[in-house]
Amino acid sequence: MNAPLLDVDDIELALLLEAIRMRYGYDMREYTKATLRRRVEAVMGKLEMRDYGELQRAVLRDRAVFAKVLSELTVHVSDLFRDPAFFLEFRERVVPHLKPYSQIRIWHAGCSTGEEAYSSAIVLDECGLLERSQIYATDLGGQALQHGREGVFPIDRLPAYSRAYEQSGGRKRFADYYTTAYGHLAFDERLKRNLFFFEHNLVSDHAFGEMQVVFCRNVMIYFDEPLRGRVLAKFEQALCHGGFLALGRSERLPLSVVGGKFEEFAPAQGIYRYWGTT
């Protein structure tokens, strides 16, 4: 029996993704198709392009257009102390398990503009652990990652940042962590000394190793099932025995690994503990 024919829109989307992979090395073919289609149509509207073919030609010939498309297609959702209850749980229940380590290694996978990485740095600082911590924040690159490196954010977000910091169990004045000028706030250089931003592709690049904590919150919901499995395998390679994996509230590990390799440590906040094979 012949396989069912693909819809024209599906074919055009597949050709665009294949063109991006072959030209620039970014493989997004296993992202959920509904999300990709919605974002591609949005970027076509912004660039005033009529169809997939016109967008594909522009992407192949103009790296600046590709950068705009990549920014639209990849996930850039982050905030300082996003979900304060999560960071309160991290502070009170996860951090005590990190204190025995002489060196603490944390990986924020899919860090976007870096606010969550700065959040974990602040928590570790207040718990006296920042000086012996290395925080790796990774994403596909582009403007979002550079934004994270700079640590400069619009000052109009300050009230929301301050509230979230307090709700997450903050122990100091939030103002101790930043300076303000020209309508922006800049995080203190002391936080940046132990914070390292790298370009990294979760789909194709190797995992980091010997991490006590891996954050990947609300990223894998955009992947299809096979890709989620491969990314989870990378996190297993990255985590040390007894390490912690932090997912988004709406994300759940498959039942096949919970109770075996992973323990539900704080399921309401999407936090799991890794014990390896049993």
Side-chain angles (χ1 to χ4, degrees):
M1 182 180 294
N2 292 330
L5 296 176
L6 291 176
D7 182 86
V8 171
D9 287 344
D10 289 336
I11 294 172
E12 290 184 326
L13 177 61
L15 291 172
L16 173 64
L17 297 178
E18 183 65 16
I20 290 173
R21 185 190 69 82
M22 295 179 67
R23 178 72 173 86
Y24 299 103
Y26 291 95
D27 191 348
M28 290 176 282
R29 293 174 299 171
E30 292 179 279
Y31 286 38
T32 57
K33 296 301 182 288
T35 298
L36 284 173
R37 187 176 295 109
R38 184 170 63 252
R39 294 185 177 187
V40 168
E41 290 172 357
V43 76
M44 282 195 297
K46 290 180 180 180
L47 296 176
E48 298 182 345
M49 293 185 177
R50 296 165 296 176
D51 52 40
Y52 282 86
E54 184 179 2
L55 179 62
Q56 179 177 313
R57 288 190 294 275
V59 164
L60 287 173
R61 290 171 169 78
D62 190 333
R63 185 172 287 272
V65 172
F66 165 69
K68 292 177 182 177
V69 172
L70 180 66
S71 180
E72 291 290 334
L73 295 188
T74 52
V75 182
H76 295 303
V77 179
S78 186
D79 220 338
L80 200 77
F81 293 99
R82 181 171 54 159
D83 296 332
F86 166 85
F87 278 97
L88 182 61
E89 196 88 356
F90 175 69
R91 179 192 295 270
E92 294 185 346
R93 294 195 59 202
V94 175
V95 169
H97 291 279
L98 305 181
K99 290 182 178 180
Y101 291 97
S102 59
Q103 186 178 69
I104 299 163
R105 291 162 57 88
I106 294 176
W107 178 16
H108 285 264
C111 70
S112 184
T113 46
E115 288 96 321
E116 286 196 341
Y118 284 102
S119 302
S120 65
I122 289 171
V123 171
L124 292 169
D125 179 64
E126 294 187 354
C127 295
L129 301 179
L130 183 59
E131 289 304 313
R132 52 189 166 105
S133 299
Q134 293 180 330
I135 302 171
Y136 301 91
T138 69
D139 211 304
L140 284 174
Q143 290 184 330
L145 200 60
Q146 183 58 33
H147 200 61
R149 289 191 187 100
E150 293 168 355
V152 177
F153 300 93
I155 201 169
D156 60 6
R157 297 166 72 177
L158 183 54
Y161 285 173
S162 298
R163 284 194 302 272
Y165 167 72
E166 292 170 4
Q167 293 166 1
S168 70
R171 300 172 182 173
K172 298 182 179 180
R173 293 188 320 126
F174 183 56
D176 294 338
Y177 294 106
Y178 65 85
T179 57
T180 60
Y182 306 106
H184 289 80
L185 66 87
F187 282 114
D188 195 275
E189 290 297 324
R190 183 172 56 86
L191 294 177
K192 297 180 183 179
R193 283 200 295 267
N194 298 72
L195 224 175
F196 308 98
F197 287 88
F198 292 99
E199 186 171 331
H200 181 272
N201 189 331
L202 271 176
V203 176
S204 57
D205 292 341
H206 294 296
F208 291 80
E210 288 302 306
M211 297 288 160
Q212 280 76 44
V213 186
V214 173
F215 289 79
C216 188
R217 302 179 66 218
N218 303 307
V219 175
M220 290 199 290
I221 56 175
Y222 298 101
F223 298 163
D224 67 13
E225 193 64 37
L227 180 55
R228 281 199 294 270
R230 295 203 302 277
V231 171
L232 178 59
K234 291 183 181 182
F235 293 155
E236 292 180 28
Q237 295 170 15
L239 283 165
C240 66
H241 186 78
F244 295 87
L245 174 63
L247 303 178
R249 281 188 177 188
S250 63
E251 297 174 304
R252 291 291 180 268
L253 290 182
L255 294 175
S256 59
V257 299
V258 176
K261 297 179 180 180
F262 286 90
E263 165 199 357
E264 287 187 319
F265 184 80
Q269 303 302 333
I271 302 175
Y272 296 83
R273 197 165 190 191
Y274 178 67
W275 297 112
T277 55
T278 56

